[in-house]
Amino acid sequence: METPSAAPPQSESRQEVGTASPANKASTPTTLHISDKAALAAAWSGPHPIITHLNADTTWVLHLPSPEGVERPSGRRRFNVLLDPWLQGPQSDGGRWFSIQWHVVAPSVQTIKELNGLLAELEKDSAPADTAAEMDSYIDVVAISHEFTDHCHEATLRELPSRTPIFAPDKAAKLIRSWKHFDAVTEMPPFVAAETKDWRKTLTCVPLPPWLGIGRVVTPGNSLYYHSAILIAWAGSSAREESNCVIYSPHGIEPNALSGMKGTGLQTLALLHGLDDVRLWMMKQLNLGAVNGVSAARKCGAKYWVATHDEVKKGGGFVSLLLRRTTWSVADAVKREGEKGPVKEPGGDDQAGGYEFVELGSGDGLVLA
């Protein structure tokens, strides 16, 4: 079982959906739950991306609208990117004696089949009657962040059709190929924001549509690429709209690795980064936590900071005896980060931190408007 260490003084409880960010925005994020079919269908027919949290940990689906002028498959409004799917059963690395964990909060969908049925229903409800078409899978691509089995869960992934394209870093790609289940497993290209002027040249590749790219941001010198991020970029829905991206970093990423994002031609709609500081006793910090998240959200100019990978799971094995967790509120993290001094972009002004913090439970979604 994960063992919490002493938490920092809490000036308030962790912020909930719709509370003001450090920028004190007046707007309230548009959130919904997959059980609210009417609200979900309305958002599905709209122009904005949606991101849905499938469990209380770090499994997500990003639902992207196709840009104007792009031919879509018959009866489809959305392109669905599945991130780090782990739904049922335990996950174990190095054997049960070493590390094993189970979800404590039930996933909002129990199987890939159930998820696919939900996506199919949304597409049928939003498509004109003469264009509705049956498909065996509405999950268009899967992106895996790490080879560890809470991110790369074999039993869940094997529920997907073999023709589903998989994008993964090198070690995870090698592992997935060893199962001999998927037809195409692509290693994610590296993405260095400070060196990128046109994201399309760096990230777009077959089998992705030409308006979409997936890559990996890595902190230089980080062992095992543990503190890294997946970057999903897509063209704006119209010629007048700039390109957007979501940065997904379940363990956290050093803020300096995100320097230069504003020069890439991408607007960061959301940074997915955890609140909790998780570490091995007397050893390695695993999840970098909220203080790092504040800096990272500022550095990449994220519109939303969405918490991820914070489920306190039931655990066993040797590693569970060493885990220590510190739970942070956003307010305390902002205060602590501020004590380190203002965050500066090279050649730029101090960053005020104009993000909106959102915490989503299992089955909750956020409209990235």
Side-chain angles (χ1 to χ4, degrees):
M1 181 77 70
E2 292 185 358
T3 306
S5 62
Q10 300 289 301
S11 60
E12 60 181 50
S13 61
R14 279 154 69 131
Q15 292 182 339
E16 299 295 332
V17 172
T19 56
S21 73
N24 293 318
K25 292 184 178 180
S27 61
T28 299
T30 301
T31 60
L32 39 80
H33 192 272
I34 62 171
S35 62
D36 188 343
K37 299 298 177 63
L40 189 54
W44 197 266
S45 299
H48 301 296
I50 306 166
I51 191 161
T52 303
H53 203 185
L54 294 181
N55 58 22
D57 195 40
T58 197
T59 298
W60 299 86
V61 186
L62 179 61
H63 316 282
L64 297 174
S66 299
E68 288 181 2
V70 172
E71 185 176 353
R72 298 179 296 197
S74 178
R76 293 292 301 273
R77 297 186 68 96
R78 298 275 171 166
F79 187 95
N80 299 304
V81 182
L82 179 61
L83 295 167
D84 283 359
W86 169 31
L87 297 179
Q88 289 296 313
Q91 66 85 204
S92 178
D93 291 299
R96 297 174 68 95
W97 70 271
F98 186 72
S99 176
I100 187 168
Q101 295 187 113
W102 294 263
H103 288 303
V104 170
V105 179
S108 57
V109 293
Q110 303 300 303
T111 63
I112 293 294
K113 182 178 180 180
E114 184 180 347
L115 171 61
N116 197 60
L118 172 66
L119 298 175
E121 182 180 350
L122 286 164
E123 291 287 18
K124 290 174 184 176
D125 289 346
S126 64
D130 59 345
T131 64
E134 287 286 346
M135 303 184 71
D136 63 347
S137 180
Y138 290 82
I139 298 165
D140 298 292
V141 67
V142 176
I144 301 295
S145 64
H146 298 84
E147 70 273 18
F148 310 112
T149 57
D150 52 340
H151 305 274
C152 184
H153 192 253
E154 182 176 359
T156 302
L157 285 165
R158 281 185 178 273
E159 295 180 36
L160 290 158
S162 60
R163 63 176 180 78
T164 308
I166 307 293
F167 278 73
D170 52 359
K171 292 181 180 179
K174 182 178 179 180
L175 174 64
I176 295 168
R177 290 187 188 114
S178 73
W179 304 337
K180 301 186 184 304
H181 177 73
F182 293 101
D183 299 335
V185 180
T186 303
E187 291 186 20
M188 292 178 187
F191 182 87
V192 181
E195 300 174 3
T196 301
K197 300 302 180 185
D198 185 351
W199 64 269
R200 293 172 181 82
K201 293 181 179 179
T202 303
L203 299 180
T204 55
C205 63
V206 175
L208 297 175
W211 53 270
L212 176 67
I214 298 177
R216 195 173 199 217
V217 186
V218 177
T219 301
N222 183 254
S223 63
L224 302 178
Y225 303 110
Y226 197 84
H227 298 127
S228 59
I230 292 175
L231 186 141
I232 303 168
W234 64 94
S237 59
S238 70
R240 300 178 301 278
E241 183 181 341
E242 63 184 327
S243 297
N244 299 300
C245 72
V246 164
I247 299 173
Y248 167 63
S249 184
H251 300 142
I253 186 168
E254 294 292 340
N256 285 339
L258 302 176
S259 293
M261 279 300 301
K262 295 179 181 178
T264 63
L266 291 168
Q267 178 189 9
T268 305
L269 286 186
L271 169 69
L272 277 60
H273 185 296
L275 280 179
D276 292 353
D277 177 334
V278 180
R279 58 201 177 279
L280 293 175
W281 179 64
M282 299 290 288
M283 289 185 281
K284 182 180 178 62
Q285 187 173 12
L286 301 178
N287 294 6
L288 298 181
V291 177
N292 186 82
V294 171
S295 296
R298 289 175 173 174
K299 186 70 77 170
C300 68
K303 185 172 184 178
Y304 298 102
W305 168 14
V306 183
T308 193
H309 212 7
D310 287 328
E311 181 186 21
V312 182
K313 296 172 282 292
K314 178 183 177 182
F318 176 70
V319 169
S320 69
L321 303 176
L322 303 178
L323 286 175
R324 299 294 184 270
R325 176 184 294 264
T326 301
T327 299
W328 288 85
S329 73
V330 173
D332 285 316
V334 169
K335 180 179 179 181
R336 177 67 63 86
E337 192 270 348
E339 292 171 355
K340 297 180 179 180
V343 179
K344 283 182 176 288
E345 290 283 1
D349 297 327
D350 291 356
Q351 300 300 294
Y355 54 83
E356 192 86 22
F357 175 75
V358 183
E359 192 165 21
L360 300 174
S362 179
D364 289 335
L366 172 67
V367 179
L368 299 177

